[in-house]
């Protein structure tokens, strides 16, 4: 009998928040690598908010997943067979395996992992999310000691890295997170100076009052992961010459509520306070990845930078785990063990 692989495909395009029926589980014969390619058995799959965008058929910075196509995603795995120089059976590698038990990838799209760091860290703290935080904060946030940073989704891999790097740079750090447990995590595990539970406030006004207490000197960097009522709450608290690295707007990934009437107010704040809002797509910055690893890996190994991983079991759980993560069900970097 031919050996089989399993993959999770996009069954249809979601309307708003994805549901399990938007995905299907498929099996196929195990693919074989051609010259220059490597067959990888996936051990861990990364689930990331950007995948919601790939399920939509809209023009963006990266192509969407076709109906019936394998959901896109980064994995960590072991080389099962190699027809490429530099890769041998048993090597641990990372690359865009997709939501699949196995993948054949060109050698140039794989990176070998060091044996002395945990394999899952390549998907979070020492991977794309950690790198996004490091790059965006340095380039667009420009931390200054004594100033204040606010970040939403603060216990996730991006937010927690942003908060810790800002703290190391001497900033006051304010975490916005969903629920008391995540706020405690933000304080106790990631060292934020103050926390605000966005779920405790139904509207932007209530959230703003809580933020004003947590950031009594105003906000100099608002790291934008979220959009929605958090953005609305923060804008009036921004200090002159404030910076807003625009990394994500997860509150709007399922669609926009009517925000048009708030746009003039945002534009006025941007103007009178000379704010700098900069769109950040990590694809533009991969050249700096080796520098990131060189600088941050020792800090992670020394325990100066903490990280948290939430590992679900089994490829078949990926759709439900992904849906839950989009709604705050994860505690730290969401990973699936295959
Ligand atoms: N631009 C880039 O290149 C790039 C790269 C990586 C990531 N990103 C973006 O960075 C952000 C964080 O990514 P991540 O991987 O670190 O995700 P994450 O924090 O692990 O997971 C997403 C979190 O978003 C929060 N959330 C969901 N809906 C929300 C809402 N309506 N209001 C407030 N918070 C909400 C939830 O946290 P709570 O339970 O705490 O609310 C949830 O746990 C995302 O927007 C992502 O798209 C962008």
């Amino acid at each position: 009998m031919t050996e089989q692989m399993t993959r999770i495909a996009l069954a249809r395009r979601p309307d708003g928040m994805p549901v399990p029926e938007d995905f299907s589980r498929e099996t196929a014969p195990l693919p074989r690598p051609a010259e220059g390619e490597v067959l990888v058995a996936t051990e861990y799959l990364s689930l990331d908010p950007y995948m919601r965008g790939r399920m939509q058929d809209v023009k963006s910075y990266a192509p969407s997943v076709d109906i019936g196509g394998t959901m896109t995603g980064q994995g960590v795995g072991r080389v099962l067979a190699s027809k490429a120089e530099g890769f041998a059976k048993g090597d641990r590698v990372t690359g865009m395996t997709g939501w699949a038990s196995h993948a054949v990838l060109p050698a140039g799209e794989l990176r070998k992992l060091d044996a002395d760091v945990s394999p899952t860290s390549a998907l979070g703290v020492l991977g794309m999310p950690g790198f996004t935080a490091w790059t965006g904060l340095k380039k667009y946030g420009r931390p200054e000691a004594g100033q204040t940073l606010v970040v939403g989704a603060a216990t996730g891999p991006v937010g927690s890295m942003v908060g810790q790097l800002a703290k190391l740079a001497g900033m006051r750090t304010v975490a916005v997170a969903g629920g008391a447990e995540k706020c405690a995590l933000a304080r106790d595990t990631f060292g934020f100076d103050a926390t605000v539970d966005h779920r405790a406030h139904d509207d932007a006004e209530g959230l703003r009052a809580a933020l004003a207490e947590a950031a009594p000197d105003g906000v100099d960097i608002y790291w934008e992961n979220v959009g929605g009522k958090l953005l609305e709450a923060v804008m009036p608290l921004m200090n002159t010459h404030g910076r807003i690295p625009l990394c994500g707007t997860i509150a709007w990934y399922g669609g926009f509520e009517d925000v048009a009437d708030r746009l003039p107010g945002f534009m006025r704040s941007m103007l009178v306070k000379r704010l700098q809002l900069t769109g950040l797509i990590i694809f533009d910055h991969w050249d700096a990845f080796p520098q990131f690893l060189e600088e941050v890996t020792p800090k992670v190994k020394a325990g100066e930078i903490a990280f948290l991983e939430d590992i679900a079991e089994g490829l078949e759980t990926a759709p439900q785990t992904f849906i839950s993560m989009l709604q705050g069900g994860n505690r730290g970097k969401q990973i699936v063990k295959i």
Side-chain angles (χ1 to χ4, degrees):
M1 205 184 85
T2 333
E3 274 188 275
Q4 298 280 301
M5 65 163 282
T6 310
R7 66 186 184 96
I8 305 289
L10 178 65
R12 63 181 191 196
R13 306 218 178 271
D15 179 17
M17 186 57 68
V19 295
E21 294 72 27
D22 297 331
F23 304 86
S24 65
R25 197 169 153 209
E26 314 284 341
T27 54
L30 203 61
R32 290 170 195 281
E35 212 45 55
E37 291 183 336
V38 176
L39 171 64
V40 179
T42 318
E43 298 174 295
Y44 299 98
L45 167 70
S46 176
L47 293 181
D48 298 87
Y50 77 82
M51 295 164 176
R52 174 65 187 84
R54 302 294 165 81
M55 299 173 81
Q56 230 50 47
D57 190 15
V58 288
K59 199 169 184 300
S60 186
Y61 60 92
S64 33
V65 177
D66 291 331
I67 301 295
T70 305
M71 283 292 296
T72 194
Q74 187 187 350
V76 164
R78 292 269 187 199
V79 172
L80 268 192
S82 171
K83 284 204 168 173
E85 215 175 294
F87 290 91
K89 190 170 174 182
D91 284 348
R92 188 168 251 147
V93 293
T94 184
M96 297 303 282
T97 55
W99 297 22
S101 63
H102 299 78
V104 165
L105 290 164
E109 294 178 16
L110 287 171
R111 179 168 64 90
K112 268 202 227 179
L113 294 179
D114 289 344
D116 63 342
V117 289
S118 82
T120 48
S121 67
L123 302 176
V125 66
L126 294 176
M128 184 277 284
F131 178 48
T132 301
W134 178 85
T135 300
L137 194 64
K138 220 184 243 262
K139 278 199 163 171
Y140 307 133
R142 300 187 303 278
E144 282 185 33
Q147 293 194 339
T148 300
L149 169 135
V150 170
V151 61
T155 61
V158 174
S160 60
M161 179 67 96
V162 164
Q164 291 180 92
L165 292 175
K167 184 81 194 157
L168 286 172
M171 296 192 74
R172 175 175 175 77
T173 55
V174 179
V176 180
E181 186 203 333
K182 281 196 178 181
C183 286
L185 266 180
R187 222 176 19 249
D188 303 339
T189 304
F190 299 120
F192 280 91
D193 294 303
T195 62
V196 172
D197 175 5
H198 69 85
R199 292 195 196 283
H201 304 280
D202 290 333
D203 56 21
E205 284 69 34
L207 189 54
R208 186 176 305 135
L211 278 167
E213 238 177 81
D217 298 330
V219 179
D220 301 287
I221 302 177
Y222 170 52
W223 180 281
E224 179 61 299
N225 273 341
V226 169
K229 80 178 175 208
L230 181 54
L231 172 61
E232 205 179 333
V234 169
M235 263 328 234
L237 305 179
M238 290 301 297
N239 289 332
T240 301
H241 297 301
R243 286 86 67 201
I244 308 179
L246 172 49
C247 176
T249 54
I250 195 163
W252 290 324
Y253 288 179
F256 300 99
E257 78 254 35
D258 185 9
V259 291
D261 57 340
R262 265 101 83 198
L263 190 60
F266 288 170
M267 294 299 276
R268 187 177 152 72
S269 291
M270 296 289 301
L271 175 65
V272 299
K273 293 178 181 168
R274 287 86 90 198
L275 303 180
Q276 198 169 76
L277 182 147
T278 317
L280 160 66
I281 295 294
I282 198 56
F283 287 7
D284 296 339
H285 304 275
W286 282 118
D287 286 357
F289 191 67
Q291 194 193 335
F292 158 73
L293 286 183
E294 197 180 306
E295 188 180 311
V296 178
T297 307
K299 289 188 167 60
V300 172
K301 283 186 182 166
E304 283 169 47
I305 289 183
F307 65 100
L308 193 64
E309 294 173 340
D310 191 337
I311 304 188
E313 292 275 339
L315 182 60
E316 68 284 358
T317 65
Q320 192 52 59
T321 305
F322 175 64
I323 294 164
S324 166
M325 182 264 292
L326 288 176
Q327 298 171 87
N330 58 318
R331 301 285 176 275
K333 170 66 206 156
Q334 187 66 65
I335 289 168
V336 176
K337 187 171 184 210
I338 307 296

